[in-house]
Amino acid sequence: MRHVETGKPGGDLASFADHTRPVTIAAIAASAGVSIPTVSKVINGRSGVAADTRARVEAAINQHGYRRTAPVTRSNMMELVFDRIADMWGLEIIRGVERAARQHRVGVVLTEFGPQRNAIRYWIEDTLARRPDCLVMVAQLDTEQRQQLRARGIPVVVFDPTVELPEDVPFVGATNWAGGRSATRHLIELGHRRIAMIGGPEHVLCCRARLDGHRSALDAAGLPVESELVVHAGLTHEDGRAAALGLLRRPDPPTAIFACNDLQALGVYQAAREVGLRIPTDLSVVGFDDLPMAALVDPALTTVHQPLLEMASTATELALALGRGERTSQVRLELATTLTVRESTAPPVR
Amino acid sequence: MRHVETGKPGGDLASFADHTRPVTIAAIAASAGVSIPTVSKVINGRSGVAADTRARVEAAINQHGYRRTAPVTRSNMMELVFDRIADMWGLEIIRGVERAARQHRVGVVLTEFGPQRNAIRYWIEDTLARRPDCLVMVAQLDTEQRQQLRARGIPVVVFDPTVELPEDVPFVGATNWAGGRSATRHLIELGHRRIAMIGGPEHVLCCRARLDGHRSALDAAGLPVESELVVHAGLTHEDGRAAALGLLRRPDPPTAIFACNDLQALGVYQAAREVGLRIPTDLSVVGFDDLPMAALVDPALTTVHQPLLEMASTATELALALGRGERTSQVRLELATTLTVRESTAPPVR
């Protein structure tokens, strides 16, 4: 991705490589072969620039690292973007973002991409027109969108990333590995030896971390990681039920199941009922997330609490600080999870 | 609240009473004793007007019924305001509003007043500065806020009002009375005769309608409304549990309980377990709302489905239409509820 200048050495363009000197709009304009007002229009999200010209200017900005030196006029608006907010934990995130933003008297514009991916087509255009101070993303941006935002100096903080991010992308997540470890350690301390884990999809980063934490707890206790007791499944109630039925119908079923999230755990509840097992007497169950409903189900679910509200507030504070042009030393954060022991776990009978 | 003009009969001010002629900004300025640019500033939400002057202009506008005749520049932004979004049904509302707004490429700014009421102080100021096209309120405005919005021609649609509204306030709700009636009729058809109702707070309009629907179903079946089988309680899980314990520990307990919402119903689940009753064998339970978790609990909850997503979309479409200056024939709507029968109801044993 390094850019080697071929023309005009020593001139305006050479200064792009010199990070001690700010790159001027004039230099960007020269590089892109457009007028200074055109560059200004692109940077300020105004209309009246042809798509290919806009792309050329953005490419020049991203190549040469132009950054605004003075804070621009703030819109006192920020964007919170979800891929899907169907899951119940979305609400906690929304509340956390909204509360933090309100402290700064910043309005939160909420978007859900949803299943119709063509809705995203307009999204970036509308977002740029609103000129937000920053974005908190519970969704993935494509490379072009990231460049469009970067070209305008609009910072993006990723909430609980599902994939490995480039090192310069700020994010706020939770200590998924430590959380997974604490869940399985709790079951081991109760006396369980055959502990199954319903992992999430293999490509989802936080699920992978929870599973590795589970394995690490088994290792630390000198217990073998039995491959037949680790199954991968989607993150819904039904996925959890199906995976649990497979585990519980084995000739040597587990005495405890650690599910990758609370919805899966409730699917385990249903599966246990279907095969005639009582929780926690015959089967211990641990979830992950600590959704509000975890405390309301019967028996109340032992689960790893993910501090969604605090994570969302932290992501917002970070995004707003970056939007104000502040330099913050730490832009990649993981907040601590904590095990919440309720009524779904007990020592094994066998 | 009628305004009687005392000066300049036949002049500009008299025209205020003549609703066939639009009231001009000049007339408002004359009435408030300020300059035309000052009125313009207030209408367009710009700063630089002293608070008392602003209030005087707003009062003049509200008295004389000034309305913009041509659509103003649209901001393509709207506001969604919650008192509290802690309850799980908030998420459905958010999604419904966001989806409808996105169809029109309108950004949704989300606010939660929350427990700290002084946060509202800034809210109206910040909202007016954003110049939204319209508002959907899941919260109550005070008279001053309503007037400030009305003075700027920003329409407000109330979502599922908790109190009786003036006749000119647009709202979207659900058929709470019919829903309550269908819940109790279902229990009667199963053979229940001692049916208790945990009503919500007496001053909350939708709870009152659900209770009246319950009574109406009993009446229609020729069953007495026994006052000891109707209790009022808050709308939380714990409130439902406490109310149910009171009912179930009576010498002549009910065989079925209709709770005013799903959270209360889950409290009934817990109470039943505490006194050793099985659902639905020993006790039938019906909720109201059909939150996502209603299908996930064990046994799955029979409940009255409230079409929150559709209600929210409808409220948004209505607010946006009013914001575009469209005249809509129907601005007070109730969408139909439907009974969703699951596993928590069965014929009584006794």
Side-chain angles (χ1 to χ4, degrees):
Chain A
M1 296 290 282
R2 289 235 179 74
H3 180 74
V4 179
E5 283 303 333
T6 51
K8 291 214 282 177
D12 260 344
L13 291 177
S15 73
F16 289 149
D18 176 3
H19 289 294
T20 60
R21 282 175 59 190
V23 177
T24 63
I25 291 187
I28 299 282
S31 167
V34 300
S35 70
I36 290 176
T38 299
V39 175
S40 177
K41 273 185 188 171
V42 171
I43 289 173
N44 292 307
R46 288 201 298 277
S47 56
V49 183
D52 58 338
T53 309
R54 182 181 297 273
R56 211 159 65 237
V57 172
E58 286 165 356
I61 294 171
N62 281 309
Q63 271 178 344
H64 302 310
Y66 167 77
R67 290 286 179 279
R68 290 177 182 126
T69 43
V72 291
T73 311
R74 300 185 55 219
S75 66
N76 290 319
M77 306 267 290
M78 63 171 284
E79 307 272 325
L80 170 61
V81 185
F82 284 86
D83 202 16
R84 279 184 66 75
I85 47 174
D87 292 317
M88 276 171 273
W89 59 277
L91 193 57
E92 293 288 289
I93 299 171
I94 291 169
R95 295 178 68 218
V97 169
E98 204 276 328
R99 281 187 190 181
R102 190 153 30 121
Q103 296 290 323
H104 297 271
R105 299 184 62 177
V106 168
V108 179
V109 178
L110 183 77
T111 301
E112 181 190 26
F113 285 159
Q116 280 139 38
R117 304 297 294 187
N118 58 359
I120 308 177
R121 213 158 29 108
Y122 296 121
W123 169 80
I124 187 76
E125 200 178 309
D126 294 344
T127 295
L128 296 177
R130 286 192 285 264
R131 305 183 59 189
D133 295 337
C134 61
L135 279 75
V136 170
M137 297 294 300
V138 198
Q140 287 182 48
L141 293 175
D142 64 28
T143 310
E144 191 191 339
Q145 291 166 338
R146 248 198 302 268
Q147 287 190 350
Q148 287 178 296
L149 291 161
R150 195 190 299 164
R152 287 160 185 83
I154 301 171
V156 177
V157 172
V158 177
F159 185 93
D160 202 15
T162 53
V163 295
E164 200 86 51
L165 293 172
E167 283 208 358
D168 60 343
V169 178
F171 74 80
V172 174
T175 57
N176 286 297
W177 179 83
R181 197 172 145 99
S182 69
T184 298
R185 191 169 49 211
H186 166 64
L187 292 168
I188 293 170
E189 284 169 359
L190 285 171
H192 292 276
R193 292 297 172 266
R194 285 189 66 72
I195 302 169
M197 165 126 203
I198 304 177
E202 292 194 68
H203 62 276
V204 176
L205 203 63
C206 63
C207 298
R208 176 70 210 203
R210 292 170 196 179
L211 175 57
D212 284 350
H214 163 74
R215 288 189 171 128
S216 169
L218 291 175
D219 274 350
L223 294 171
V225 179
E226 291 171 75
S227 62
E228 73 272 18
L229 292 185
V230 174
V231 288
H232 288 280
L235 292 168
T236 70
H237 177 263
E238 180 50 35
D239 293 324
R241 174 182 163 271
L245 281 177
L247 288 163
L248 297 175
R249 284 176 176 154
R250 292 180 57 84
D252 50 352
T255 62
I257 297 180
F258 170 31
C260 197
N261 74 2
D262 287 352
L263 289 178
Q264 279 185 349
L266 294 185
V268 177
Y269 274 42
Q270 191 180 327
R273 186 169 170 239
E274 287 175 36
V275 300
L277 296 176
R278 288 158 303 163
I279 299 170
T281 319
D282 306 319
L283 180 72
S284 285
V285 181
V286 182
F288 204 111
D289 280 345
D290 200 14
L291 297 178
M293 65 183 295
L296 304 182
V297 293
D298 184 13
L301 181 67
T302 295
T303 186
V304 179
H305 177 75
Q306 196 166 202
L308 291 171
L309 209 69
E310 294 78 7
M311 287 160 66
S313 298
T314 303
T316 305
E317 291 288 354
L318 175 57
L320 289 170
L322 294 171
R324 289 190 298 267
E326 291 174 19
R327 286 170 191 278
T328 55
S329 57
Q330 188 51 273
V331 296
R332 295 165 78 85
L333 298 163
E334 287 198 346
L335 302 197
T337 54
T338 45
L339 182 73
T340 303
V341 177
R342 296 202 181 92
E343 299 160 20
S344 65
T345 46
V349 173
R350 287 167 281 184
Chain B
M1 293 293 282
R2 289 236 178 73
H3 180 75
V4 180
E5 284 303 333
T6 51
K8 290 214 280 175
D12 261 345
L13 291 177
S15 71
F16 289 149
D18 176 3
H19 290 296
T20 60
R21 282 176 56 191
V23 178
T24 63
I25 290 186
I28 299 283
S31 168
V34 301
S35 70
I36 291 177
T38 298
V39 176
S40 175
K41 274 186 189 171
V42 170
I43 290 175
N44 292 308
R46 289 202 296 276
S47 57
V49 183
D52 58 339
T53 308
R54 182 182 296 273
R56 210 158 67 239
V57 172
E58 286 165 355
I61 295 171
N62 281 310
Q63 273 176 344
H64 303 310
Y66 166 79
R67 290 286 179 279
R68 289 179 183 127
T69 44
V72 290
T73 310
R74 301 184 55 219
S75 66
N76 291 319
M77 306 267 290
M78 63 170 285
E79 308 271 325
L80 170 61
V81 185
F82 284 86
D83 203 16
R84 279 185 65 75
I85 45 174
D87 293 315
M88 275 172 272
W89 56 281
L91 193 58
E92 293 287 290
I93 299 171
I94 291 169
R95 295 178 66 217
V97 170
E98 204 276 328
R99 282 186 191 183
R102 189 151 32 120
Q103 295 291 323
H104 297 271
R105 299 185 61 177
V106 167
V108 178
V109 177
L110 183 78
T111 301
E112 181 190 27
F113 285 159
Q116 281 141 37
R117 304 297 294 185
N118 59 1
I120 308 178
R121 212 158 32 108
Y122 296 122
W123 169 78
I124 187 77
E125 201 178 307
D126 294 345
T127 296
L128 296 177
R130 286 192 286 262
R131 306 184 59 188
D133 296 337
C134 62
L135 278 76
V136 170
M137 298 293 301
V138 197
Q140 285 182 50
L141 292 176
D142 64 29
T143 311
E144 192 190 337
Q145 292 166 337
R146 250 197 301 266
Q147 288 190 350
Q148 287 177 297
L149 291 163
R150 196 191 297 163
R152 287 160 185 85
I154 301 172
V156 177
V157 172
V158 178
F159 184 92
D160 202 15
T162 53
V163 295
E164 201 87 51
L165 294 172
E167 284 209 356
D168 61 341
V169 178
F171 74 79
V172 174
T175 57
N176 287 297
W177 179 83
R181 197 172 144 99
S182 69
T184 298
R185 190 170 50 212
H186 166 63
L187 292 167
I188 294 169
E189 286 170 358
L190 286 171
H192 292 275
R193 291 299 172 264
R194 285 190 65 73
I195 303 168
M197 164 124 203
I198 303 176
E202 293 194 68
H203 62 275
V204 177
L205 204 63
C206 63
C207 298
R208 176 72 210 200
R210 292 170 196 180
L211 175 56
D212 283 351
H214 162 75
R215 287 190 171 126
S216 170
L218 292 174
D219 274 350
L223 294 170
V225 179
E226 292 172 75
S227 61
E228 73 271 18
L229 291 184
V230 174
V231 289
H232 289 280
L235 293 168
T236 70
H237 177 264
E238 180 49 35
D239 293 324
R241 174 182 162 271
L245 282 176
L247 288 163
L248 297 175
R249 285 175 175 155
R250 294 179 55 84
D252 49 353
T255 61
I257 297 179
F258 170 30
C260 198
N261 73 3
D262 288 351
L263 289 178
Q264 279 185 349
L266 295 186
V268 177
Y269 274 42
Q270 191 179 330
R273 186 171 170 237
E274 287 175 36
V275 300
L277 296 177
R278 288 158 303 162
I279 298 170
T281 318
D282 306 318
L283 180 72
S284 285
V285 182
V286 182
F288 204 111
D289 280 344
D290 199 13
L291 296 178
M293 64 182 297
L296 304 183
V297 293
D298 184 14
L301 180 66
T302 295
T303 186
V304 179
H305 177 75
Q306 193 163 205
L308 291 170
L309 209 69
E310 293 79 5
M311 287 161 66
S313 298
T314 304
T316 305
E317 292 288 354
L318 175 58
L320 289 170
L322 293 171
R324 289 189 299 266
E326 292 173 18
R327 286 169 190 279
T328 55
S329 56
Q330 187 53 272
V331 295
R332 297 164 77 85
L333 299 162
E334 288 197 343
L335 303 196
T337 53
T338 46
L339 182 73
T340 302
V341 177
R342 296 201 180 93
E343 298 161 20
S344 65
T345 45
V349 173
R350 287 167 282 182

